[in-house]
Amino acid sequence: MSALQLIPLNKLVESEDNVRRTERKRDIDTLAASIAAHGLLQNLTVTAREDGKFAVVAGARRHAALKLLVRQGERPKDWPTPCQVVASASAAEASLAENVQRVEMNAMDEVEAFAALIAAGQSPEDVAQRFGTTLRHVEQRLALAHLSPRIRAAYRRGELTLDVARAFCIGDHEAQERVFKGLAKPITSAHAVRGALTQGRTPLSDRLALFVGVDAYTAAGGRIVKDLFEDTIAFLEDGEILQRLALEKAEALRDALLADGWGWAELNLAGGHLEGFAAERLRPGERKLTAKEKRRLAAVDAEIERIDSELEGIEDGPEADALWDRREALDGERDAIAEAARIYDPALMAHAGAIVGVDRDGKPTIQRGLIRRADLKALDKLRSKAKAGEDSGEDDADEGAPAGASLSKALTRDLTLARTRAIRAGVASDVHVALALLVCTLAQQSAGSGDLVGPEINATARDFGDDEVFATLRSARTFPETFIEALALDDETLLSCLAILVAETIDLHHEGASAQDRERQRSADAIAAAIRLDMSAHWSPDSAFWQRTSKQYALDALAEGSDFADLPEAKRSVKLKALAKLKKHEFADAAAKAFAQSRWLPDCLVTPLGEGALALTNAAEASLAAQH
């Protein structure tokens, strides 16, 4: 081979003989910065061309970096470039030798080199600039410099991977060596190392950590251990401080509940199963909203409707995410207004209580109206005394939040419309229920006490897009056109016609927002129970449904009613958090898939158990008889 020659940079061109076909342009900015700081440390290999130029057969990345420096004004176009000229026949062989025999610098060698520069007085920013790399890369390499010498030596021997070495950085030397000693070699699981080093520490994503908040924790002197290599991994070092702050914050909520008049209030920060409580709860009534609350509620509803309309016209992306965030905030405000309007009977509150907990997102949860079994008799006596002149019992239970309060008015309207269609079809085939509805309606009208909510029996059929269903039912029966024809029909035929005619009048769809809507929901529940309606046979939560709900509503439903409900709490929490990070359409598809084998229904579609819906088996009856 010839000696080195200085060839003007503008005389150099790329060669087809360069064996590196991929990643020729990778990290050119970094390489250019290095050349600017340290000069060209390795010459280029070229072959002469007939047009007087030289083709670069080895050093394509260095060539590209030099051209970048020319564009940046760091080098002149004709900068004399050190090159070794080889014969054209040897070009491919020279390129192959340079690329195949090149050995990447060992990460630990780079660690020690950077550490030496820092020890000599350079800053991490200086090192990053001189070597054309990022400050984060330098900081990560410097973090590896804090590894125990034993761990560094193990890395050089190939007993652990670079990811594992990074995982060791979260502990001190003593902890590193203790964990290293206890793991089989070679060590390939960074997760296992990180788990062993963080035993007794609390992840930043833990529900109590979220409940307390990082600011409060650090203000109390708590320490945080961060993983420099994983942005999402951090741990709270001081468990005692975390527990104390969580307890203090929860106790403040408990004291407020006691001040409100509850007979007792307890904490359940561990999320354990509750024992010793009756199946029923004390239900709140509902005071009238103030004028200010009504105005704000109307404004919130209008804004939610506007956002829902806007969401229908845009695809997933930052704009849609911002609208969903805004919508969820409005849902929360709407629920807060409803919560503020709920009132409990002070006399009954003294015999019931509440429990303060923390959900998986770190938000406080308060279960009000819990009744200990021992307090049931005292409550029953109070209710009996208050019964005269007051509505209690089932009426109290009906005065809760509007059905579907966590769903939008439009979505609740569509869901209850689907239920209305199913109820109409059911009543049309149940003569007894239809006759009961007719008699009840006429009796109320006769007594002047108003109409039964639901059936609008005034000879006007309501149209809910189910004409085909009723056309099929009508075709199987003989409907009279005159009174004489009706008299000629037998009672069974008249009753079957009556059932269809009554069913056609039923209108039970609503928006779940007003007192009238709650009355419609109660009437729908009663009729659905009478005809034993199973809405899961008529409706299922598909992707379109989940796209119209808030993410929080969907996450709560997933935690309680999907396949996830059977998972251990830790595993369920991980899966739900992963789902929450998906874009809206991906999240909706995943939710629909999770409910594919489920019979879950939103509250406004659930049919309450009617009389006779449950029956004891012979074995159960025998067991009860034996007890008595």
Side-chain angles (χ1 to χ4, degrees):
M1 291 188 178
S2 63
L4 291 180
Q5 298 182 31
L6 295 177
I7 300 174
L9 184 57
N10 55 6
K11 293 287 187 180
L12 303 178
V13 296
E14 292 185 6
S15 170
E16 293 298 322
D17 291 325
N18 192 315
V19 298
R20 185 188 286 270
R21 304 299 183 196
T22 60
E23 297 185 325
R24 288 189 182 186
K25 304 297 185 183
R26 191 185 72 176
D27 296 334
I28 295 304
D29 291 344
T30 300
L31 182 56
S34 178
I35 292 174
H38 309 103
L40 186 64
L41 302 179
Q42 185 178 1
N43 61 270
L44 279 59
T45 302
V46 302
T47 59
R49 298 199 330 181
E50 293 181 357
D51 59 1
K53 293 190 176 183
F54 295 83
V56 178
V57 296
R61 293 180 64 253
R62 277 164 276 153
H63 180 214
L66 288 168
K67 291 195 294 183
L68 177 59
L69 290 175
V70 170
R71 293 195 295 273
Q72 294 174 346
E74 296 287 339
R75 294 286 188 276
K77 292 181 180 180
D78 57 352
W79 184 71
T81 308
C83 301
Q84 187 163 23
V85 182
V86 299
S88 298
S90 305
E93 183 179 347
S95 176
L96 181 63
E98 176 172 296
N99 284 285
V100 170
Q101 296 181 15
R102 175 181 299 159
V103 177
E104 293 289 340
M105 188 174 186
N106 182 280
M108 212 56 67
D109 292 337
E110 190 176 22
V111 166
E112 293 174 359
F114 284 176
L117 290 173
I118 296 297
Q122 293 193 32
S123 69
E125 291 80 4
D126 293 336
V127 175
Q129 185 175 4
R130 286 183 63 79
F131 286 90
T133 188
T134 64
L135 177 60
R136 179 168 176 77
H137 176 78
V138 173
E139 289 176 338
Q140 289 180 338
R141 286 295 191 256
L142 291 174
L144 288 172
H146 295 291
L147 284 172
S148 157
R150 184 174 182 180
I151 305 299
R152 283 198 244 176
Y155 173 77
R156 293 184 187 278
R157 291 194 303 270
E159 292 184 354
L160 47 92
T161 64
L162 183 59
D163 281 343
V164 170
R166 289 170 172 171
F168 271 108
C169 289
I170 203 167
D172 57 29
H173 284 191
E174 181 181 352
Q176 290 173 18
E177 294 184 6
R178 182 183 67 251
V179 171
F180 176 79
K181 185 177 180 180
L183 295 175
K185 316 301 185 291
I187 306 173
T188 58
S189 173
H191 177 74
V193 171
R194 192 175 287 111
L197 285 168
T198 56
Q199 284 184 356
R201 293 171 173 169
T202 305
L204 201 60
S205 58
D206 179 82
R207 58 194 181 87
L208 284 188
L210 295 171
F211 176 59
V212 169
V214 173
D215 292 342
Y217 171 78
T218 54
R223 294 166 295 169
I224 295 179
V225 178
K226 294 184 178 180
D227 190 326
L228 187 60
F229 303 96
E230 297 289 343
D231 292 333
T232 59
I233 297 178
F235 298 89
L236 306 188
E237 182 80 6
D238 302 296
E240 291 185 4
I241 292 178
L242 175 64
Q243 293 292 332
R244 174 172 58 80
L245 293 176
L247 189 60
E248 290 174 355
K249 189 171 183 179
E251 285 177 338
L253 295 173
R254 181 189 64 188
D255 293 344
L257 289 166
L258 293 172
D260 286 341
W262 291 106
W264 54 267
E266 294 181 0
L267 305 183
N268 185 30
L269 299 186
H273 182 66
L274 303 178
E275 298 286 353
F277 295 101
E280 67 174 287
R281 290 191 185 184
L282 194 64
R283 298 294 179 181
E286 190 171 315
R287 64 167 173 79
K288 291 184 178 181
L289 296 179
T290 65
K292 183 178 180 181
E293 288 172 331
K294 288 179 180 179
R295 289 194 299 271
R296 183 54 193 161
L297 189 60
V300 168
D301 286 341
E303 180 69 1
I304 288 176
E305 293 291 337
R306 184 193 67 76
I307 290 175
D308 286 344
S309 299
E310 194 170 343
L311 282 168
E312 292 178 0
I314 63 175
E315 298 181 355
D316 283 344
E319 184 180 357
D321 290 342
L323 286 173
W324 277 111
D325 290 343
R326 173 60 179 157
R327 193 193 186 288
E328 290 188 8
L330 290 168
D331 279 338
E333 186 175 355
R334 191 177 189 279
D335 290 342
I337 294 173
E339 180 65 34
R342 294 173 184 170
I343 54 175
Y344 291 86
D345 184 332
L348 300 179
M349 286 175 66
H351 296 274
I355 289 182
V356 178
V358 178
D359 68 14
R360 62 178 176 272
D361 296 319
K363 296 177 181 177
T365 61
I366 299 176
Q367 300 180 63
R368 295 177 175 87
L370 295 174
I371 303 171
R372 292 190 173 115
R373 294 191 187 102
D375 293 326
L376 275 175
K377 289 184 178 180
L379 279 170
D380 288 341
K381 288 181 180 179
L382 287 172
R383 285 167 174 163
S384 297
K385 290 179 181 179
K387 194 173 183 69
E390 295 182 5
D391 291 326
S392 60
E394 292 183 0
D395 289 340
D396 287 340
D398 286 338
E399 290 301 320
S406 57
L407 299 175
S408 70
K409 289 163 64 176
L411 182 52
T412 302
R413 183 173 61 246
D414 290 348
L415 291 174
T416 53
L417 180 59
R419 195 189 197 198
T420 293
R421 295 192 186 104
I423 287 174
R424 283 157 60 94
V427 171
S429 302
D430 195 318
V431 170
H432 180 73
V433 172
L435 183 59
L437 287 172
L438 176 61
V439 171
C440 180
T441 298
L442 295 179
Q444 288 192 3
Q445 290 177 349
S446 175
S449 56
D451 295 329
L452 179 68
V453 174
E456 299 189 4
I457 299 175
N458 54 10
T460 302
R462 305 282 290 166
D463 180 13
F464 288 107
D466 50 2
D467 286 349
E468 292 184 5
V469 174
F470 283 93
T472 301
L473 292 169
R474 281 175 173 273
S475 66
R477 289 165 179 75
T478 301
F479 276 80
E481 294 183 2
T482 66
F483 179 61
I484 299 300
E485 290 180 5
L487 287 174
L489 296 176
D490 58 69
D491 288 352
E492 183 177 351
T493 301
L494 285 173
L495 287 172
S496 66
C497 292
L498 173 68
I500 296 173
L501 295 170
V502 169
E504 283 185 311
T505 71
I506 294 175
D507 176 8
L508 290 166
H509 81 294
H510 60 82
E511 296 181 338
S514 66
Q516 290 81 4
D517 289 343
R518 292 193 289 281
E519 185 64 30
R520 283 185 176 277
Q521 181 68 28
R522 284 192 288 270
S523 185
D525 286 344
I527 298 173
I531 63 175
R532 305 277 177 94
L533 175 65
D534 179 7
M535 273 303 295
S536 64
H538 302 268
W539 180 91
S540 60
D542 58 9
S543 179
F545 168 74
W546 296 115
Q547 288 207 46
R548 296 178 66 185
T549 70
S550 67
K551 273 191 177 180
Q552 188 57 56
Y553 178 90
L555 288 169
D556 290 342
L558 284 164
E560 297 174 3
S562 73
D563 297 340
F564 294 171
D566 296 329
L567 296 174
E569 183 179 355
K571 192 172 183 179
R572 181 171 67 245
S573 179
V574 169
K575 284 185 172 291
L576 291 174
K577 286 181 179 178
L579 280 179
K581 295 178 181 178
L582 297 177
K583 290 186 175 180
K584 187 64 180 180
H585 74 279
E586 295 172 337
F587 177 86
D589 291 343
K593 184 177 180 181
F595 281 98
Q597 304 301 321
S598 171
R599 295 167 66 86
W600 177 89
L601 294 169
D603 289 346
C604 61
L605 297 188
V606 174
T607 298
L609 293 176
E611 185 178 353
L614 298 176
L616 291 177
T617 64
N618 292 335
E621 288 181 345
S623 176
L624 286 174
Q627 293 177 21
H628 296 287

